[in-house]
Amino acid sequence: MPIRRGETPPLYRPSRIGVLVFMLSFSASAQDLDARGALDWITAGEAILPTNGDTNPDNRVLDIPQLGAWGELRPNLRLVKGAFQFLVRPRFRMETTGTLVSDEWREPQAAAEADWVELYGAWTVSDRLSVAYGLMNFQWGPAEALGPSNGLFHQPGFSRNLLTLTKGKRLVRVNLTPRKNLSAVLLVETHANDEEPFVADEAFEQKGLVKLEATTLDGAHSIGVTVGKGAASRAWLGEYASASLTDGLSIYLDARHERGSRAWNPVNAPGMPFTFAKTE
């Protein structure tokens, strides 16, 4: 990989990753209770080649693992009884890594963990109103690439790979559908979901969001507006639109507006060359 003058050399060369996916689904009904489930087993392997330079000579500084293998079991169970439904989605993960330092392989490291991806209950009050609470994932549009109008979920596309799984947040959700092509959603994030914050060292704050969406009767085109605010942060306004041009081509626009800036900028400091601060 050529390095231009003034550029910082990469810490490792692009990795190679292989993935195997196995899926199993089932459904059953008994005494007005409908159960539907699926089981995904994902196995992946990865190899990384750290560059040998002044930043990380012989991998002695960063200890970047060169070899890795992962196995994930992702059950998915949905129970429906009348107007009530309950969704359970845990994840079980196992991994092992190998690290080469100064031409010597270290002892392989193994780890295992289990957590909840989604766990919530929902009540369909009527054809127009439903209520849900628990650990859930709620996004819209091509959220795997971008979604600035959604101030609750942050999953930028450059940070994703084939093993990425977005964990739900602890939400209260109210859906109102007064007409077939008009809907409103209220989302309130009540508690932290024990993940690392999107902004480093930022404390959790409760947030609320309202989303209004209108679609054409055939569902090919839509437009939406979002308004949200955190308990301590400023309010934001977002909008998005989607248009289907052909059967295989559509466009999507998404934007967000907020007063001030959350960026950290270099500023002068007494006795120091500079420091970083928010300069709103």
Side-chain angles (χ1 to χ4, degrees):
M1 180 182 299
I3 303 299
R4 298 182 179 89
R5 183 180 299 275
E7 289 186 350
T8 301
L11 298 179
Y12 55 86
R13 298 185 181 91
S15 61
R16 300 293 181 263
I17 185 168
V19 179
L20 293 175
V21 181
F22 300 93
M23 295 178 289
L24 175 68
S25 61
F26 69 90
S27 62
S29 299
Q31 296 182 350
D32 298 328
L33 177 64
D34 184 26
R36 299 181 182 181
L39 180 63
D40 297 343
W41 174 269
I42 301 175
T43 302
E46 183 180 50
I48 296 177
L49 299 177
T51 57
N52 188 18
D54 295 337
T55 305
N56 187 32
D58 294 325
N59 200 28
R60 296 194 304 268
V61 177
L62 300 179
D63 288 342
I64 299 175
Q66 282 93 328
L67 298 178
W70 297 268
E72 287 194 5
L73 189 64
R74 301 178 181 178
N76 186 338
L77 177 63
R78 184 184 298 271
L79 302 174
V80 180
K81 183 175 178 61
F84 300 92
Q85 62 174 311
F86 192 66
L87 181 70
V88 181
R89 291 185 62 202
R91 174 179 63 173
F92 305 95
R93 177 185 175 95
M94 298 169 291
E95 66 176 63
T96 181
T97 58
T99 305
L100 182 67
V101 177
S102 299
D103 296 326
E104 293 185 4
W105 285 100
R106 291 187 172 178
E107 188 73 18
Q109 300 295 312
E113 63 177 354
D115 61 357
W116 296 104
V117 179
E118 288 189 288
L119 180 66
Y120 69 89
W123 174 32
T124 303
V125 183
S126 67
D127 293 339
R128 298 183 177 183
L129 178 65
S130 65
V131 181
Y133 174 73
L135 194 69
M136 70 183 80
N137 188 346
F138 191 89
Q139 302 183 63
W140 50 88
E144 69 278 1
L146 69 135
S149 62
N150 187 344
L152 302 183
F153 287 85
H154 304 281
Q155 190 69 57
F158 63 81
S159 68
R160 301 176 64 92
N161 57 42
L162 294 174
L163 294 177
T164 299
L165 186 62
T166 303
K167 185 176 179 178
K169 296 183 179 293
R170 297 181 182 178
L171 301 174
V172 174
R173 188 188 77 210
V174 180
N175 292 66
L176 178 63
T177 310
R179 298 174 57 181
K180 180 180 179 181
N181 62 334
L182 182 63
S183 65
V185 180
L186 169 65
L187 297 173
V188 178
E189 186 178 9
T190 60
H191 300 84
N193 67 348
D194 300 326
E195 276 191 318
E196 290 295 326
F198 179 69
V199 178
D201 299 327
E202 185 177 69
F204 170 79
E205 64 170 339
Q206 294 180 332
K207 297 185 182 73
L209 180 151
V210 175
K211 181 175 78 76
L212 305 176
E213 180 178 289
T215 65
T216 56
L217 293 178
D218 60 359
H221 313 290
S222 65
I223 185 171
V225 177
T226 65
V227 179
K229 189 183 185 309
S233 57
R234 291 190 177 100
W236 73 85
L237 172 68
E239 62 271 344
Y240 62 93
S242 177
S244 179
L245 304 181
T246 67
D247 291 340
L249 178 63
S250 64
I251 59 174
Y252 181 79
L253 304 175
D254 201 317
R256 169 173 166 163
H257 314 277
E258 183 177 352
R259 292 188 60 185
S261 172
R262 303 179 69 187
W264 292 82
N265 300 301
V267 296
N268 293 326
M272 300 176 60
F274 65 89
T275 186
F276 289 91
K278 292 183 179 181
T279 57
E280 298 181 1

